[in-house]
């Protein structure tokens, strides 16, 4: 139990996928303008990474490793992730059309979000069991959601502040992201 807790906290906060590994930056910067949209993206990423961790773990352990075709892991993992994203996209289009419209082009970009593939590959690299891989996936995706929602909250507050003209737009967002990364670096001694 202690090992699973260390995996979860480590992947969510200490080794945050966005702020310390710099994976998934595109949706992090693109969708973090409003908290509502950011939380929707965070929820979609939690679902995709968690299910992808489970399915890719089963496929890797049950098929790829058994038949000694581990070299196919990247292609297989991308196909699994693409199928899951299509499922999420169809669900959101039917169940939550406003969120589907708000996420726009960033929803299909989850397929190419290197954070999702990075988790699947990390699970293989660290030789996690399927269950440990799912815990790592949940922790990583919760860390992504936490980072994107915090960033969205900060960006909403920045809109009401006076920012010098040279820092308006992307520069202030990148400075904010770097300050968040420094803040999360403070958790590095936790584990």
């Amino acid at each position: 139990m202690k090992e699973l807790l260390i995996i979860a906290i480590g992947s969510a906060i200490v080794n945050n996928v966005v702020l310390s590994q710099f994976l998934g930056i595109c949706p992090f910067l693109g969708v973090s303008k409003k908290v509502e949209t950011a939380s929707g993206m965070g929820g979609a990423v939690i679902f995709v990474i968690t299910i992808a961790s489970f399915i890719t773990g089963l496929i890797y352990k049950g098929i790829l490793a058994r038949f000694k075709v581990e070299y196919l892991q990247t292609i297989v993992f991308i196909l699994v992730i693409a199928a899951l994203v299509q499922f999420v996209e169809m669900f959101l289009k039917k169940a939550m059309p406003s969120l589907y419209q708000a996420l726009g082009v960033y929803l299909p970009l989850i397929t190419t979000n290197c954070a999702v593939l990075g988790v699947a590959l990390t699970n293989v690299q660290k030789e996690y069991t399927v269950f440990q891989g799912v815990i790592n996936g949940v922790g990583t995706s919760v860390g992504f959601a936490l980072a994107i929602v915090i960033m969205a909250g900060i960006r909403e507050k920045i809109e009401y502040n006076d920012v010098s003209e040279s820092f308006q737009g992307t520069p202030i967002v990148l400075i904010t992201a770097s300050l968040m990364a420094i803040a999360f670096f403070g958790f590095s001694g936790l584990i």
Side-chain angles (χ1 to χ4, degrees):
M1 185 66 180
K2 180 181 174 185
E3 182 182 349
L4 296 176
L5 188 61
I6 288 172
I7 291 172
I9 292 173
S11 59
I13 299 173
V14 176
N15 298 316
N16 187 286
V17 72
V18 175
L19 300 174
S20 77
Q21 297 177 18
F22 306 111
L23 298 174
I25 297 292
C26 178
F28 175 71
L29 295 176
V31 183
S32 62
K33 293 179 182 174
K34 294 185 177 187
V35 172
E36 182 179 308
T37 311
S39 59
M41 175 60 88
V45 168
I46 288 173
F47 176 79
V48 170
I49 288 181
T50 303
I51 302 300
S53 296
F54 177 70
I55 293 174
T56 56
L58 287 178
I59 290 173
Y60 184 81
K61 302 273 188 210
I63 298 171
L64 299 178
R66 180 176 291 165
F67 295 110
K68 308 273 189 248
V69 289
E70 293 95 345
Y71 58 89
L72 293 174
Q73 70 186 6
T74 304
I75 295 169
V76 171
F77 292 174
I78 289 172
L79 290 173
V80 168
I81 292 164
L84 287 171
V85 170
Q86 286 299 317
F87 174 73
V88 169
E89 193 171 0
M90 290 186 306
F91 173 77
L92 288 179
K93 192 172 187 178
K94 291 282 185 189
M96 301 177 206
S98 61
L99 180 59
Y100 175 78
Q101 291 294 330
L103 291 176
V105 72
Y106 294 101
L107 186 59
L109 282 178
I110 294 176
T111 302
T112 58
N113 185 343
C114 52
V116 182
L117 181 60
V119 171
L121 294 174
T122 300
N123 292 342
V124 170
Q125 180 185 19
K126 292 189 176 182
E127 298 178 357
Y128 285 152
T129 64
V130 174
F131 187 65
Q132 287 174 326
V134 170
I135 296 299
N136 182 46
V138 169
T140 301
S141 58
V142 167
F144 177 87
L146 178 70
I148 197 170
V149 168
I150 290 172
M151 179 60 134
I154 293 171
R155 284 181 77 175
E156 283 184 356
K157 297 292 183 188
I158 287 174
E159 282 187 33
Y160 299 111
N161 292 327
D162 291 328
V163 177
S164 68
E165 190 176 331
S166 60
F167 285 105
Q168 288 180 359
T170 305
I172 194 69
V173 172
L174 294 176
I175 290 170
T176 303
S178 63
L179 291 173
M180 285 178 60
I182 291 170
F184 270 69
F185 182 71
F187 293 115
S188 62
L190 189 64
I191 292 181

